[in-house]
Amino acid sequence: MDNERTLNLLGALALSLGDALNAVVKVNAGYGGEAPAALVTLGANPGLSINTLSQILSLSHPGTVRLIDRLASQALVERRPGTDGRTLALFLTEAGQGRRRAILTERRQQLNLAVEPLSLDERQQLTKLLEKMLTAMTTSELRSFAICRLCEEDVCPADSCPVEQKYCQLLNNP
């Protein structure tokens, strides 16, 4: 087997999927860039601070503040007092939740286009391979959040998520 060709094919698939996902989620988020990931992440993890969100999205703190300002101006995100009294906690509004659902629906449709030609057995094999690959890529809490920043957590709950399982393993075995 030609490993270089496999890597090249994987790269082409990743880029193609990334382009398709960026195009459809941009429409539903109202913004490109990390806005869709911010909406999905905040829906899955309500109450995050701007600092934590900036780390997950790999944005500067001022960039994240501007992003949240834009999302708040569209009534998609609201700021509330944080647990320590010094920070603000971020939450999706009802409109933000609706936008998040639309993003995830479009994401699923695009991903389905990639796996449609596979048989049931091939899909099961792909699932096992993806679990193995994602486990290997999970190296820290921050990396786990970054990997799953556009995930549908309802269809991959923590007890079966390879990223969450690896993160828990890292916590228990530092």
Side-chain angles (χ1 to χ4, degrees), residues 84-122:
D84 64 5
R86 294 179 294 131
T87 60
L88 293 174
L90 304 171
F91 294 86
L92 294 184
T93 62
E94 189 174 317
Q97 290 287 359
R99 195 73 62 94
R100 177 181 185 268
R101 284 189 296 276
I103 289 166
L104 291 174
T105 297
E106 291 290 337
R107 175 184 176 271
R108 186 180 323 118
Q109 289 172 353
Q110 290 301 311
L111 294 170
N112 195 48
L113 290 174
V115 299
E116 254 178 11
L118 302 178
S119 69
L120 179 59
D121 285 343
E122 290 169 329

Side-chain angles (χ1 to χ4, degrees), residues 156-162 164-165:
C156 190
D159 63 346
S160 65
C161 173
E164 182 73 20
Q165 293 301 308

Side-chain angles (χ1 to χ4, degrees), residues 47-119:
L48 287 179
S49 68
I50 287 179
N51 186 51
T52 301
L53 184 62
S54 73
Q55 292 174 15
I56 292 168
L57 301 178
S58 294
L59 288 176
S60 68
H61 190 273
T64 306
V65 170
R66 287 190 298 273
L67 171 61
I68 295 303
D69 286 346
R70 287 192 305 268
L71 296 174
S73 74
Q74 285 192 316
L76 300 174
V77 172
E78 64 183 19
R79 295 172 174 98
R80 298 181 194 161
T83 56
D84 64 5
R86 294 179 294 131
T87 60
L88 293 174
L90 304 171
F91 294 86
L92 294 184
T93 62
E94 189 174 317
Q97 290 287 359
R99 195 73 62 94
R100 177 181 185 268
R101 284 189 296 276
I103 289 166
L104 291 174
T105 297
E106 291 290 337
R107 175 184 176 271
R108 186 180 323 118
Q109 289 172 353
Q110 290 301 311
L111 294 170
N112 195 48
L113 290 174
V115 299
E116 254 178 11
L118 302 178
S119 69

Side-chain angles (χ1 to χ4, degrees), residues 122-157:
E122 290 169 329
R123 287 180 191 208
Q124 290 172 340
Q125 288 176 326
L126 178 61
T127 298
K128 295 291 182 200
L129 294 171
L130 292 170
E131 289 171 343
K132 189 174 188 176
M133 294 165 74
L134 287 167
T135 297
M137 295 181 75
T138 304
T139 56
S140 68
E141 176 184 28
L142 184 57
R143 186 71 184 132
S144 70
F145 277 116
I147 290 170
C148 295
R149 69 185 182 275
L150 272 173
C151 282
E152 285 185 84
E153 294 195 6
D154 295 344
V155 299
C156 190

